[in-house]
Amino acid sequence: MTKARRQDAAAHLVPAAIAATGLTKSFGAVRAVDGVDLRVSSGEVVAFLGPNGAGKTTTIDMILGLSRPDDGEITVFGTTPRGAIARGYVSAVLQTGGLLKDLTVRETVELTASVFADTRPVDEVLERAGIAEIGGRMVGKCSGGQQQRLRFAMALLSDPGLLILDEPTTGMDVEGRRSFWQAIRADADRGRTVLFATHYLEEADAYADRIVLMSRGRIVADGRAAQIKNLVAGRVVRATLPGADPVALAAIAGVKDVEVQGERVVIGTTDSDALARHLLTATAARDVEISSQNLESVFLALTTEGDAR
Protein backbone atom coordinates (compact mmCIF):
# COMPACT_ATOMS: atom_id res chain seq x y z
CA MET A 1 0.00 0.00 0.00
CA THR A 2 1.34 3.45 -0.90
CA LYS A 3 1.92 6.11 1.73
CA ALA A 4 -0.97 8.20 0.34
CA ARG A 5 -3.34 5.23 0.64
CA ARG A 6 -2.13 4.50 4.18
CA GLN A 7 -2.86 8.11 5.08
CA ASP A 8 -6.34 7.94 3.50
CA ALA A 9 -7.10 4.73 5.40
CA ALA A 10 -5.79 6.20 8.65
CA ALA A 11 -7.99 9.28 8.21
CA HIS A 12 -11.07 7.07 8.63
CA LEU A 13 -9.72 5.47 11.82
CA VAL A 14 -8.20 8.34 13.81
CA PRO A 15 -8.99 12.04 14.18
CA ALA A 16 -6.95 14.57 12.23
CA ALA A 17 -3.62 15.47 13.80
CA ILE A 18 -4.64 19.13 13.51
CA ALA A 19 -8.12 20.46 12.76
CA ALA A 20 -8.50 24.23 12.90
CA THR A 21 -11.48 26.25 11.69
CA GLY A 22 -11.80 30.03 11.51
CA LEU A 23 -8.84 30.76 13.78
CA THR A 24 -8.33 34.44 14.56
CA LYS A 25 -5.92 36.13 16.91
CA SER A 26 -5.28 39.83 17.40
CA PHE A 27 -2.74 41.80 19.39
CA GLY A 28 -4.22 45.23 19.85
CA ALA A 29 -5.04 46.59 16.41
CA VAL A 30 -2.92 43.94 14.65
CA ARG A 31 -4.78 40.89 13.31
CA ALA A 32 -1.99 38.30 13.44
CA VAL A 33 -4.17 35.37 12.34
CA ASP A 34 -7.19 36.11 10.21
CA GLY A 35 -9.66 33.26 9.70
CA VAL A 36 -7.27 30.31 9.24
CA ASP A 37 -8.66 26.89 8.32
CA LEU A 38 -6.09 24.10 8.55
CA ARG A 39 -6.40 20.33 8.56
CA VAL A 40 -3.38 18.04 8.82
CA SER A 41 -3.91 14.30 8.58
CA SER A 42 -1.93 11.76 10.56
CA GLY A 43 1.35 10.82 8.90
CA GLU A 44 1.71 13.98 6.80
CA VAL A 45 4.90 16.06 6.66
CA VAL A 46 3.75 19.66 6.21
CA ALA A 47 5.94 22.71 5.63
CA PHE A 48 4.49 25.88 7.15
CA LEU A 49 5.93 28.84 5.26
CA GLY A 50 5.56 32.59 5.22
CA PRO A 51 7.54 35.81 5.65
CA ASN A 52 8.20 37.29 9.06
CA GLY A 53 4.94 38.58 10.51
CA ALA A 54 2.79 36.24 8.40
CA GLY A 55 1.19 34.64 11.46
CA LYS A 56 3.04 31.31 11.48
CA THR A 57 4.37 31.54 15.03
CA THR A 58 1.03 32.72 16.41
CA THR A 59 -0.72 29.80 14.70
CA ILE A 60 1.85 27.34 16.06
CA ASP A 61 1.40 28.81 19.55
CA MET A 62 -2.33 28.09 19.32
CA ILE A 63 -1.69 24.53 18.12
CA LEU A 64 0.60 24.02 21.11
CA GLY A 65 -1.91 25.53 23.54
CA LEU A 66 0.45 28.38 24.41
CA SER A 67 -2.23 30.89 23.49
CA ARG A 68 -5.96 30.76 22.84
CA PRO A 69 -7.66 31.95 19.66
CA ASP A 70 -9.94 34.97 19.89
CA ASP A 71 -12.34 33.09 17.66
CA GLY A 72 -12.50 29.73 15.91
CA GLU A 73 -11.86 26.18 17.03
CA ILE A 74 -8.81 23.93 17.10
CA THR A 75 -8.34 20.29 18.06
CA VAL A 76 -5.25 18.09 18.09
CA PHE A 77 -5.98 14.37 17.68
CA GLY A 78 -9.57 15.12 18.60
CA THR A 79 -8.86 16.87 21.90
CA THR A 80 -7.84 20.34 23.00
CA PRO A 81 -4.25 21.45 22.35
CA ARG A 82 -3.45 21.47 26.08
CA GLY A 83 -5.09 18.08 26.49
CA ALA A 84 -2.97 16.69 23.66
CA ILE A 85 0.19 18.12 25.22
CA ALA A 86 -0.70 16.63 28.62
CA ARG A 87 -1.18 13.20 27.06
CA GLY A 88 2.18 13.37 25.27
CA TYR A 89 0.55 13.45 21.82
CA VAL A 90 2.53 16.53 20.78
CA SER A 91 6.15 17.65 21.11
CA ALA A 92 7.90 20.71 19.74
CA VAL A 93 11.44 21.58 18.72
CA LEU A 94 11.83 25.35 19.06
CA GLN A 95 14.75 27.56 18.07
CA THR A 96 15.91 28.66 21.51
CA GLY A 97 15.55 28.00 25.22
CA GLY A 98 14.99 24.90 27.28
CA LEU A 99 18.63 23.83 27.73
CA LEU A 100 20.86 23.93 30.81
CA LYS A 101 24.41 24.46 29.64
CA ASP A 102 26.08 22.96 32.72
CA LEU A 103 24.52 19.52 32.11
CA THR A 104 25.73 16.92 29.63
CA VAL A 105 23.67 15.93 26.61
CA ARG A 106 22.68 12.63 28.22
CA GLU A 107 21.87 14.24 31.57
CA THR A 108 19.61 16.71 29.78
CA VAL A 109 17.64 13.93 28.11
CA GLU A 110 17.48 11.91 31.34
CA LEU A 111 16.20 14.94 33.25
CA THR A 112 13.51 15.55 30.63
CA ALA A 113 12.53 11.87 30.70
CA SER A 114 12.02 12.04 34.46
CA VAL A 115 9.00 14.34 34.08
CA PHE A 116 7.08 11.80 31.96
CA ALA A 117 5.32 8.71 33.29
CA ASP A 118 6.34 6.72 30.21
CA THR A 119 9.07 7.53 27.67
CA ARG A 120 11.16 6.00 24.94
CA PRO A 121 14.60 4.77 26.14
CA VAL A 122 17.21 7.53 26.41
CA ASP A 123 19.72 5.60 24.29
CA GLU A 124 17.11 5.17 21.55
CA VAL A 125 16.24 8.86 21.25
CA LEU A 126 19.91 9.89 21.35
CA GLU A 127 20.60 7.48 18.51
CA ARG A 128 17.60 8.61 16.46
CA ALA A 129 18.62 12.24 16.90
CA GLY A 130 22.18 11.45 15.80
CA ILE A 131 23.88 12.57 19.02
CA ALA A 132 24.62 9.28 20.79
CA GLU A 133 28.36 9.83 20.36
CA ILE A 134 28.29 13.17 22.22
CA GLY A 135 26.18 12.06 25.18
CA GLY A 136 28.93 13.01 27.62
CA ARG A 137 29.52 16.47 26.19
CA MET A 138 28.44 19.52 28.15
CA VAL A 139 25.52 21.28 26.48
CA GLY A 140 27.40 24.58 26.63
CA LYS A 141 30.14 23.04 24.49
CA CYS A 142 27.72 21.87 21.78
CA SER A 143 27.33 23.73 18.51
CA GLY A 144 24.02 25.34 17.58
CA GLY A 145 23.21 22.42 15.30
CA GLN A 146 24.00 19.88 18.02
CA GLN A 147 21.76 21.74 20.45
CA GLN A 148 18.94 21.57 17.91
CA ARG A 149 19.46 17.82 17.65
CA LEU A 150 19.33 17.64 21.45
CA ARG A 151 15.97 19.42 21.39
CA PHE A 152 14.84 16.88 18.79
CA ALA A 153 15.89 14.01 21.07
CA MET A 154 13.99 15.56 23.98
CA ALA A 155 10.89 15.92 21.77
CA LEU A 156 11.02 12.23 20.84
CA LEU A 157 10.93 11.02 24.45
CA SER A 158 7.13 10.95 24.73
CA ASP A 159 6.88 9.26 21.29
CA PRO A 160 4.48 11.99 20.09
CA GLY A 161 2.05 11.54 17.25
CA LEU A 162 2.63 15.15 16.19
CA LEU A 163 6.04 16.79 16.06
CA ILE A 164 6.20 20.55 15.52
CA LEU A 165 9.52 22.01 14.37
CA ASP A 166 10.26 25.74 14.35
CA GLU A 167 13.32 26.46 12.18
CA PRO A 168 14.76 23.07 13.21
CA THR A 169 18.01 23.19 11.19
CA THR A 170 19.17 26.66 12.22
CA GLY A 171 22.88 26.47 12.97
CA MET A 172 23.43 23.17 11.15
CA ASP A 173 25.86 22.71 8.28
CA VAL A 174 24.76 21.16 4.99
CA GLU A 175 25.56 17.59 6.01
CA GLY A 176 23.92 18.09 9.40
CA ARG A 177 20.75 19.36 7.77
CA ARG A 178 20.66 16.41 5.37
CA SER A 179 21.09 13.78 8.10
CA PHE A 180 18.55 15.57 10.31
CA TRP A 181 15.91 15.41 7.61
CA GLN A 182 16.70 11.78 6.93
CA ALA A 183 15.87 11.11 10.58
CA ILE A 184 12.64 13.12 10.31
CA ARG A 185 11.57 11.25 7.16
CA ALA A 186 12.27 7.92 8.86
CA ASP A 187 10.02 8.97 11.73
CA ALA A 188 7.31 10.12 9.33
CA ASP A 189 7.45 6.77 7.54
CA ARG A 190 6.58 5.16 10.89
CA GLY A 191 3.41 7.27 10.96
CA ARG A 192 4.47 10.38 12.88
CA THR A 193 2.93 13.69 11.74
CA VAL A 194 5.38 16.56 11.25
CA LEU A 195 4.61 20.27 10.91
CA PHE A 196 7.68 22.44 10.37
CA ALA A 197 8.36 26.12 9.81
CA THR A 198 11.53 27.01 7.94
CA HIS A 199 13.18 29.81 5.99
CA TYR A 200 15.12 27.25 3.93
CA LEU A 201 12.69 26.92 1.03
CA GLU A 202 14.71 24.08 -0.50
CA GLU A 203 13.96 22.03 2.65
CA ALA A 204 10.24 22.51 2.13
CA ASP A 205 10.57 21.58 -1.53
CA ALA A 206 12.65 18.48 -0.82
CA TYR A 207 11.10 17.02 2.33
CA ALA A 208 7.47 18.12 2.71
CA ASP A 209 4.50 16.13 1.46
CA ARG A 210 2.54 19.37 1.45
CA ILE A 211 3.22 23.10 1.72
CA VAL A 212 1.02 25.63 3.52
CA LEU A 213 1.91 29.25 2.77
CA MET A 214 0.75 32.13 5.00
CA SER A 215 0.79 35.85 4.29
CA ARG A 216 -0.60 38.62 6.47
CA GLY A 217 -2.50 36.26 8.73
CA ARG A 218 -4.15 34.16 6.02
CA ILE A 219 -3.34 30.97 4.17
CA VAL A 220 -2.71 31.97 0.54
CA ALA A 221 -1.65 28.57 -0.81
CA ASP A 222 -1.99 24.95 0.30
CA GLY A 223 -0.92 21.89 -1.67
CA ARG A 224 1.96 19.76 -2.84
CA ALA A 225 5.11 21.53 -4.01
CA ALA A 226 4.30 20.98 -7.69
CA GLN A 227 0.79 22.38 -7.20
CA ILE A 228 2.14 25.45 -5.41
CA LYS A 229 4.64 26.14 -8.18
CA ASN A 230 1.86 25.98 -10.76
CA LEU A 231 0.05 28.87 -9.04
CA VAL A 232 2.42 31.32 -10.69
CA ALA A 233 2.39 31.15 -14.46
CA GLY A 234 5.37 31.53 -16.72
CA ARG A 235 9.04 30.67 -16.64
CA VAL A 236 12.31 32.27 -15.63
CA VAL A 237 14.96 33.18 -18.19
CA ARG A 238 18.53 33.81 -17.03
CA ALA A 239 21.29 35.18 -19.23
CA THR A 240 24.63 36.93 -19.14
CA LEU A 241 24.04 40.41 -20.56
CA PRO A 242 26.63 43.09 -19.62
CA GLY A 243 25.13 46.56 -19.43
CA ALA A 244 21.56 45.27 -19.45
CA ASP A 245 18.84 47.92 -19.55
CA PRO A 246 16.09 46.68 -17.20
CA VAL A 247 13.58 49.21 -18.54
CA ALA A 248 14.05 48.01 -22.12
CA LEU A 249 13.83 44.37 -21.06
CA ALA A 250 10.67 45.03 -19.06
CA ALA A 251 9.06 46.50 -22.19
CA ILE A 252 9.35 43.19 -24.10
CA ALA A 253 5.98 41.46 -24.55
CA GLY A 254 5.32 38.81 -21.91
CA VAL A 255 7.97 40.02 -19.46
CA LYS A 256 6.65 40.28 -15.91
CA ASP A 257 9.73 41.25 -13.92
CA VAL A 258 13.43 41.91 -14.43
CA GLU A 259 16.28 41.59 -11.93
CA VAL A 260 19.85 42.58 -12.77
CA GLN A 261 22.58 40.76 -10.83
CA GLY A 262 25.85 42.20 -12.07
CA GLU A 263 26.27 40.86 -15.61
CA ARG A 264 23.44 38.36 -15.17
CA VAL A 265 19.76 39.12 -15.70
CA VAL A 266 16.86 37.13 -14.29
CA ILE A 267 13.60 37.69 -16.15
CA GLY A 268 10.15 36.34 -15.36
CA THR A 269 8.05 35.87 -18.49
CA THR A 270 4.92 34.24 -19.82
CA ASP A 271 6.59 33.62 -23.22
CA SER A 272 10.08 32.26 -22.62
CA ASP A 273 10.62 31.17 -26.24
CA ALA A 274 9.98 34.65 -27.63
CA LEU A 275 12.15 36.25 -24.97
CA ALA A 276 15.02 33.84 -25.63
CA ARG A 277 14.84 34.55 -29.37
CA HIS A 278 14.96 38.28 -28.68
CA LEU A 279 17.94 37.99 -26.35
CA LEU A 280 19.92 35.81 -28.77
CA THR A 281 19.15 37.81 -31.94
CA ALA A 282 18.73 41.41 -30.79
CA THR A 283 21.19 41.63 -27.87
CA ALA A 284 24.64 40.43 -26.87
CA ALA A 285 23.18 37.94 -24.37
CA ARG A 286 24.91 34.59 -23.87
CA ASP A 287 24.55 31.60 -21.56
CA VAL A 288 20.76 31.78 -21.81
CA GLU A 289 18.91 29.41 -19.48
CA ILE A 290 15.17 28.73 -19.25
CA SER A 291 13.67 27.15 -16.13
CA SER A 292 10.29 26.63 -14.51
CA GLN A 293 9.20 28.70 -11.54
CA ASN A 294 10.85 27.53 -8.34
CA LEU A 295 9.41 27.66 -4.85
CA GLU A 296 11.28 30.87 -4.04
CA SER A 297 9.74 32.78 -6.95
CA VAL A 298 6.27 31.52 -6.05
CA PHE A 299 6.85 32.42 -2.40
CA LEU A 300 7.77 35.97 -3.36
CA ALA A 301 4.88 36.33 -5.80
CA LEU A 302 2.27 35.19 -3.28
CA THR A 303 3.56 37.03 -0.23
CA THR A 304 4.62 40.43 -1.55
CA GLU A 305 2.39 43.45 -1.25
CA GLY A 306 -0.56 43.36 -3.57
CA ASP A 307 -1.02 39.58 -3.72
CA ALA A 308 -4.52 38.16 -3.71
CA ARG A 309 -5.74 37.65 -0.18
Side-chain angles (χ1 to χ4, degrees):
M1 183 182 291
T2 66
K3 182 175 180 181
R5 288 183 178 178
R6 290 198 303 271
Q7 291 173 348
D8 289 343
H12 292 88
L13 300 175
V14 298
I18 301 170
T21 306
L23 289 186
T24 64
K25 185 69 176 180
S26 297
F27 300 95
V30 177
R31 180 68 64 90
V33 176
D34 188 9
V36 162
D37 296 330
L38 177 65
R39 185 179 182 88
V40 178
S41 299
S42 295
E44 280 192 291
V45 178
V46 179
F48 202 34
L49 308 181
N52 291 335
K56 303 187 306 298
T57 298
T58 302
T59 302
I60 288 174
D61 284 349
M62 289 188 283
I63 294 170
L64 291 173
L66 298 176
S67 67
R68 298 179 182 274
D70 297 333
D71 198 8
E73 297 181 353
I74 181 168
T75 60
V76 179
F77 292 114
T79 187
T80 65
R82 291 192 177 185
I85 293 286
R87 292 172 175 82
Y89 296 166
V90 185
S91 285
V93 179
L94 305 179
Q95 294 184 63
T96 59
L99 299 178
L100 299 174
K101 296 187 177 182
D102 55 349
L103 295 181
T104 67
V105 168
R106 173 176 285 277
E107 287 170 342
T108 300
V109 178
E110 289 174 341
L111 178 62
T112 304
S114 70
V115 306
F116 292 101
D118 184 31
T119 68
R120 305 303 302 170
V122 169
D123 287 337
E124 177 187 317
V125 299
L126 289 173
E127 184 67 33
R128 285 168 64 181
I131 52 174
E133 72 282 359
I134 62 168
R137 184 175 301 176
M138 302 298 291
V139 172
K141 299 293 185 181
C142 292
S143 68
Q146 289 169 336
Q147 290 185 12
Q148 281 296 82
R149 284 176 171 272
L150 174 54
R151 294 184 179 97
F152 177 43
M154 294 161 64
L156 292 176
L157 280 168
S158 67
D159 199 18
L162 171 62
L163 188 59
I164 295 179
L165 313 172
D166 187 12
E167 302 293 340
T169 57
T170 298
M172 294 185 189
D173 58 22
V174 174
E175 181 56 35
R177 288 166 59 191
R178 183 182 296 112
S179 60
F180 176 85
W181 282 112
Q182 288 173 346
I184 292 294
R185 288 299 332 185
D187 260 22
D189 288 341
R190 298 186 184 100
R192 198 184 313 280
T193 308
V194 179
L195 176 71
F196 70 94
T198 181
H199 282 95
Y200 296 117
L201 298 184
E202 68 274 15
E203 288 186 345
D205 201 357
Y207 299 110
D209 299 322
R210 173 180 157 207
I211 293 172
V212 175
L213 179 57
M214 284 193 75
S215 179
R216 296 192 289 280
R218 297 183 179 181
I219 292 176
V220 295
D222 184 349
R224 296 186 178 276
Q227 296 172 320
I228 299 295
K229 293 174 186 177
N230 287 337
L231 293 176
V232 176
R235 294 191 173 189
V236 177
V237 176
R238 295 175 173 83
T240 299
L241 183 57
D245 180 354
V247 175
L249 292 172
I252 298 172
V255 169
K256 298 188 298 180
D257 54 80
V258 178
E259 182 180 354
V260 178
Q261 303 172 344
E263 292 191 344
R264 293 287 287 176
V265 292
V266 181
I267 308 171
T269 178
T270 57
D271 192 343
S272 57
D273 291 339
L275 176 60
R277 281 194 298 270
H278 173 85
L279 291 173
L280 292 171
T281 60
T283 76
R286 64 181 187 277
D287 302 326
V288 177
E289 303 172 1
I290 301 175
S291 61
S292 300
Q293 297 282 357
N294 59 23
L295 191 57
E296 180 179 359
S297 61
V298 175
F299 178 94
L300 292 172
L302 295 179
T303 61
T304 51
E305 292 295 331
D307 63 41
R309 297 186 59 187

